[in-house]
């Protein structure tokens, strides 16, 4: 009969049911074992753990092309204005307004899709 060799040390403690439930839930959200979760807290002393939202990441990756086009347009307008070939006219201002609106939408999406677990000590 072969015994499986385990890595690491065993550490037994008693905690409240609420604390255990929180550890179980947080480890599940992070998709790591409870032991890894507790070890990470002990070694790194982190207060906030970011949780990856794959649906949001996919959405933002799709929007990257849109953001690149906006950036190219803004750079072209700025270059033309700086070289004296163009003035700030209404059509240029509408592009700036569209960019501001787009960035506002992206910022609000980022805020809505950022999940955090606050760990208090």
């Amino acid at each position: 009969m072969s015994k499986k060799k385990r890595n690491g040390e065993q550490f037994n403690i008693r905690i409240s049911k609420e604390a255990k439930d929180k550890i179980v839930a947080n480890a599940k959200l992070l998709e790591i074992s409870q032991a890894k979760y507790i070890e990470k807290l002990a070694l790194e002393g982190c207060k906030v753990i970011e949780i990856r939202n794959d649906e949001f990441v996919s959405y933002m990756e799709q929007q990257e092309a849109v953001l690149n086009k906006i950036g190219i347009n803004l750079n072209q307008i700025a270059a033309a204005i700086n070289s004296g070939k163009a003035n700030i006219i209404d059509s240029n201002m509408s592009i700036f307004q569209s960019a501001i609106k787009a960035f506002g939408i992206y910022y609000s999406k980022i805020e809505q899709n950022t999940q955090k677990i606050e760990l208090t000590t």
Side-chain angles (χ1 to χ4, degrees):
M1 174 167 76
S2 70
K3 290 186 176 183
K4 182 179 176 183
K5 183 176 178 179
R6 294 182 179 218
N7 294 330
E9 299 286 324
Q10 183 170 344
F11 186 71
N12 297 316
I13 60 169
R14 292 200 174 272
I15 57 174
S16 68
K17 179 177 179 354
E18 294 81 17
K20 181 183 178 203
D21 291 345
K22 190 74 169 172
I23 290 168
V24 170
N26 288 349
K28 185 176 180 180
L29 278 172
L30 295 169
E31 298 178 349
I32 60 175
S33 71
Q34 295 165 30
K36 286 287 181 195
Y37 174 77
I38 293 168
E39 184 175 11
K40 181 172 182 65
L41 289 176
L43 294 176
E44 297 177 17
C46 52
K47 292 190 177 233
V48 177
I49 299 172
E50 297 280 342
I51 301 191
R52 181 179 168 95
N53 180 331
D54 290 329
E55 184 178 315
F56 172 68
V57 170
S58 176
Y59 169 80
M60 289 308 286
E61 286 172 351
Q62 293 170 0
Q63 299 306 309
E64 187 174 1
V66 175
L67 291 171
N68 284 336
K69 287 179 185 176
I70 290 171
I72 290 168
N73 285 343
L74 292 174
N75 284 336
Q76 289 172 344
I77 292 168
I81 291 170
N82 287 336
S83 69
K85 295 180 181 175
N87 293 320
I88 298 179
I89 56 176
D90 289 339
S91 63
N92 290 342
M93 289 308 293
S94 69
I95 292 172
F96 287 122
Q97 293 300 325
S98 295
I100 290 169
K101 183 178 178 182
F103 286 120
I105 291 169
Y106 295 131
Y107 181 76
S108 101
K109 288 272 188 194
I110 290 169
E111 279 192 326
Q112 292 170 3
N113 288 282
T114 300
Q115 299 175 346
K116 295 181 181 180
I117 300 173
E118 297 286 336
L119 305 172
T120 57
T121 54

